[in-house]
Each structure stands twice: as C-alpha cells, then as structure tokens.
Amino acid sequence: MTTFASGTDTLTRDALTVLQPGFTGTTAPDWLLRRLGEGLASVGLFGRNIASPEQLAALTAQLRAERDDVLVAIDEEGGDVTRLEVRTGSSFPGNHALGAVDDVELTREVAFEMGRRLAACGVNLNWAPSADVNSNPSNPVIGVRSFGADTALVARHTAAYVTGLQSAGVAACTKHFPGHGDTAVDSHHSMPRIDAAAAVLADRELSPFRAAIAAGTRAMMSAHILVPALDPDHPATLSRPVLTDLLRGELGYTGLIVTDGMEMQAIAATYGIERGSVLAIAAGADAICVGGGLADDETVRRLRDALVAAVRAGELPEERLADAAERVRELAHWTATVPGAEGEARSDVGLVAARRALRATGAEGFTPLTEAPYVAAFTPVANIAVGDETPWGVAAELARLLPGTETAGYTGQEAGLEALQAAAGRRIVAVVRDEHRHPWMATALDTLLRSRPDTVVVEMGVPQAKPRGALHIATYGAARVCGRAAAEVIAGA
C-alpha cells in the first residue's frame, strides 16, 4: 500500500498525480523518489534511462519501492522508435512492416511479445501504438510509424496491437488523437494543421481510434495539431471540443487521456508548458507527458504550482483536476491487478515479421553476393521521435554475413559521386530512407545507378519510388531486423 508524505494536501497531490515526467540517468534521482512519496503517480522512460534489461528491471523496482502502484511509461513502438534497444536497433520491424504483411494475428503476436518484454522489465504503460493513417506521403514525423495509408488496414492492426500488448499486462496508449497522418509539419518543431473536412476526418482519421476503443485501449494520447473542422482555435491537446465532446462524448471513450510531450514546440513555443498544461487538463486531458527534453525537479515543481494556482484562481475547476487524477489512479490499479503474460516467449517473432514484410524486385535474376560490398547510406536527418542515436541500415547485418563489408553515410547533391569514388570498384549497396521526401537523395541515387547499374538498392522508409537497381529491396522500416532480412537476401543466407 502506498503512503504519502505528510503535509501534502489533496490539491497538491492531485496536481502531482497528473504529471508524467522524465529524468536523466539509469537510476532514479532523489528528487523523483521524493515526488513519488508526495503523490506523483507516473514516470516516463526514454533511451537515456536504459542500459540493459537487467538495469531497467532494477530501476523500475527502485521506483516501486517508493510507490508500489507507480505507472512506468515508455515510448516503445518497435521499428524506428525504440527505447529498449535504442543503441542496437529494434528486434521488431515496426508498424509499416506489419501493415505490409497484413496479418492481424502476427501483429497481435508481435505486440504481445513486446508487452511481455516490457512487463518483465517492470514497464506497465506503453505510449503505443500509432493509429495514424499515413495519408500524406510527405509526412515528416509519422511515415513508417503508421500501419499504412489505408484506413481499414490501420484500424484492424491498431485493434490487434492493443489486444496483444494488453494481454501481456501492459496498458496501450493509442496515439496521436485525432490523427497525425495528414500533416506536413513535425509537431516537435511547430504547429501542424489538418484542413480536412469533418466528414473526411470521421471516415479516415477517427476509424482506427474507434477500433482501439472497441479493443479496450486503456489510454489515448492527444496530438499537438490544429484541426479547424473540429476546433478552429486550439490544437487537439488543448481543445475541449476534441477531447471532451468528441473523444469522451461522441466516441464514448472512458480511459486515460495523455498529452503528447508538452515541451514539443507546437505547445511550448505557443502557450508555454505551464499554461499549456493547465489548458490541457481543463480541456479533458488526464495526464501531462513531459520529460523528453525537460527532465528535472524544477519542471515538476513549475507544472504542479501552475495547476494549483489555476484551481485557486478559478481558471481550472478543482473537480476536473480531481477527476483527471482519479483516472490516473484507476489505470495504475489496473496495471497492478491485471494478469501478466502467459505462454512461451516468441523471441523470433519480430524477425519473422520483418522477413514476411520484405519485398524484393529483381530477385529472380539476382546472384547473391559472396564478397564484401561497399554500403553507401544516403542518410536523412532523423526526426526527434526516432532520435539520432538508434542505428539503422543493412551494413552491420551484411558485415556479419560478409566480413569486410565497409560503409559510410552520405548526404547532399554530391552524395552519389562521393559514394562512387569511395567504393573504388567494389559492389555497391545503396541504402535510402524515404527517398520521395528528399530530392537530393533521388539525385544521388540516379548518379550512382548511371555509372553502376549493378547497384543493389535497399529502401528502408515508406516505399514510393519505382524499383530500380540490379535488386531493389523494400523493407518498410529501418529497424535492425529489417536490415537483417534485407542482408539475408543480398547475401543469399
């Protein structure tokens, strides 16, 4: 049974309860443990907090020694966005690859195995899956994080993912409501806007969220996007028409509503995190996610005080804050009482999915390589959700199969010529990621193929371009297992 520090009044405790902060380091700092004793109920983990499964299990045990029902949340989508395997690349191929296979039972099995691993480390809330329909191919932040561009496909795989994850005892947090797929702006940097009509939104964006609700998703994450058809004045995270009238009222959702990271510029640069947090709770959100970049006690204190001050000033009804805090406690209770994963581990299920997702054009006439190639990785800037620290590509897996494989990253209009010079006559494997979004990448690849038509091309983003090269492999994701599946084809393994 959790006990709270004396002297913490109900209002202050509720204000702490609705926060989901992060922290730095691989052990819990003293300030975080103290806040858990005062009423903080959730903690968010990121790649910086994880060194190994054993270390993560020790960290979560440290948190539970202070508060036994703490919600330990993580952003573990698999694929490009991984925290458990941030330094090696994920064992799971990601949503787009699962959508390419289109086997809902496989998606459920992948999510169950992911949930089993999270639960074994003491994590009980996953900010996943992404239920966004990737209707805009130029979307800079969703892409392979989506199951695809077809609404019905996204809906059925979202439901399967929620079912699989939660059957392992980990609460799913379906995101990014009401749908981040039709944007051309990354909300980490500024405010995206979706100008679709309400009828289009209802048929396209909302369908996967309806499926998630029907599957029993325990949490839902709001998007920092402006959708004028729903609310012309406020982004979804701060919108009562979106969170309360639509999500709670029309869609009948009763679980926890979590905000996306409040330090993201779509909110922080427009409203500030304190004002934004007050407006979010008032609009219907129950938990404030903060800590991707701001990860200290000062941030927690500022947000707690802002919520308390808003209640005392009559700007935020105390009943709304109390209701939000109670929803956090209800989810914490569910995670503490739900049965854990049963059945044998499926350690290979991610690789199985990556192999099934792979599409190879030209494989019939292709002779697998027997000598070490030169891998030219045409490297775009990673979005913040993915991060720069997670490795991607095929070079590491090719080097395992073909020792002596060398690689280098390239960017810019001269990338093709630079790669040709560096390859020095060796067979080239060109790795691209979302070529359709980067004109320089298409130019570089054209330059390369004119001189070396025997080049193998591996597309690790959302495939859009016409297949080209002696062998063209589409992996539908850049996770480590996607690289392995591609390397097996190239080396004939």
Side-chain angles (χ1 to χ4, degrees):
M1 178 72 101
T2 301
T3 58
F4 298 108
S6 60
T8 305
D9 62 83
T10 300
L11 176 58
T12 301
R13 188 161 61 246
D14 284 350
L16 280 171
T17 298
V18 302
L19 302 181
Q20 287 189 355
F23 61 95
T24 57
T26 53
T27 59
D30 290 342
W31 68 262
L32 183 63
L33 298 176
R34 184 179 72 254
R35 294 300 186 192
L36 288 171
E38 294 172 354
L40 186 70
S42 307
V43 175
L45 300 180
F46 298 85
R48 65 188 178 222
N49 304 122
I50 301 169
S52 69
E54 296 76 17
Q55 168 270 324
L56 177 56
L59 169 58
T60 58
Q62 184 186 15
L63 297 172
R64 290 199 168 84
E66 190 63 46
R67 177 167 183 158
D68 54 9
D69 64 344
V70 63
L71 284 171
V72 181
I74 199 168
D75 199 2
E76 183 60 45
E77 300 177 15
D80 284 21
V81 180
T82 179
R83 309 308 178 209
L84 287 181
E85 300 177 279
V86 66
R87 292 168 185 83
T88 61
S90 181
S91 300
F92 304 98
N95 284 3
H96 210 60
L98 294 173
V101 178
D102 195 14
D103 179 342
V104 292
E105 180 58 23
L106 179 64
T107 295
R108 189 201 64 78
E109 290 177 358
V110 166
F112 175 81
E113 176 61 20
M114 181 181 295
R116 189 193 64 77
R117 296 186 192 185
L118 291 172
C121 295
V123 177
N124 54 13
L125 173 60
N126 190 10
W127 293 320
S130 168
D132 307 296
V133 179
N134 198 53
S135 52
N136 184 347
S138 298
N139 194 312
V141 67
I142 302 300
V144 294
R145 299 168 67 194
S146 166
F147 289 110
D150 180 81
T151 298
L153 179 145
V154 175
R156 60 179 173 267
H157 286 277
T158 296
Y161 194 110
V162 167
T163 300
L165 189 65
Q166 294 189 164
S167 65
V170 175
C173 182
T174 306
K175 61 188 182 186
H176 307 80
F177 188 82
H180 209 311
D182 191 18
T183 61
V185 173
D186 185 344
S187 50
H188 290 90
H189 301 299
S190 57
M191 183 77 74
R193 177 186 175 108
I194 295 179
D195 285 311
V200 173
L201 295 169
D203 290 340
R204 186 180 64 188
E205 267 72 22
L206 298 185
S207 180
F209 294 99
R210 291 191 188 96
I213 293 169
T217 186
R218 291 285 167 171
M220 196 85 79
M221 179 175 281
S222 66
H224 303 329
I225 56 175
L226 186 66
V227 188
L230 302 178
D231 186 338
D233 302 316
H234 300 97
T237 293
L238 312 183
S239 171
R240 184 174 179 83
V242 172
L243 299 187
T244 298
D245 299 344
L246 176 57
L247 183 53
R248 293 278 188 223
E250 183 177 332
L251 301 187
Y253 176 65
T254 59
L256 188 77
I257 299 177
V258 184
T259 72
D260 207 344
M262 296 301 284
E263 69 272 31
M264 294 164 62
Q265 291 303 296
I267 299 297
T270 308
Y271 298 89
I273 62 168
E274 295 96 334
R275 183 63 179 162
S277 296
V278 169
L279 293 174
I281 297 294
D286 305 305
I288 301 296
C289 176
V290 65
L294 300 170
D296 53 32
D297 190 40
E298 174 63 16
T299 299
V300 172
R301 184 195 62 77
R302 285 163 51 200
L303 296 181
R304 178 204 64 188
D305 291 352
L307 291 167
V308 170
V311 169
R312 289 175 175 164
E315 298 175 355
L316 174 63
E318 186 169 1
E319 297 79 9
R320 170 77 275 272
L321 180 62
D323 173 65
E326 184 56 29
R327 289 184 191 276
V328 174
R329 298 184 191 109
E330 287 174 356
L331 181 58
H333 176 74
W334 180 86
T335 61
T337 57
V338 66
E342 296 182 359
E344 295 183 5
R346 284 283 315 272
S347 59
D348 67 333
V349 69
L351 180 58
V352 169
R355 287 169 173 162
R356 289 183 62 186
L358 184 143
R359 304 289 184 268
T361 304
E364 298 82 2
F366 178 74
T367 302
L369 306 190
T370 57
E371 296 183 357
Y374 182 80
V375 179
F378 295 144
T379 308
V381 176
N383 71 61
I384 293 176
V386 175
D388 293 323
E389 67 271 43
T390 303
W392 70 283
V394 301
E397 294 298 329
L398 271 176
R400 183 176 59 82
L401 298 174
L402 299 171
T405 296
E406 296 183 23
T407 186
Y410 298 92
T411 187
Q413 297 292 329
E414 301 301 315
L417 288 174
E418 294 169 0
L420 278 171
Q421 294 169 358
R426 287 169 290 180
R427 190 69 177 269
I428 299 174
V429 176
V431 186
V432 296
R433 189 170 176 174
D434 294 339
E435 179 193 344
H436 64 285
R437 291 184 46 239
H438 304 284
W440 68 265
M441 197 181 294
T443 299
L445 192 55
D446 286 340
T447 299
L448 190 60
L449 288 170
R450 277 196 296 270
S451 297
R452 294 291 300 274
D454 64 343
T455 294
V456 174
V457 178
V458 181
E459 167 60 84
M460 305 201 80
V462 178
Q464 297 284 330
K466 181 180 179 180
R468 46 196 171 149
L471 173 69
H472 183 279
I473 298 174
T475 61
Y476 295 84
R480 174 171 53 84
V481 287
C482 297
R484 178 173 173 180
E488 289 172 346
V489 173
I490 295 168

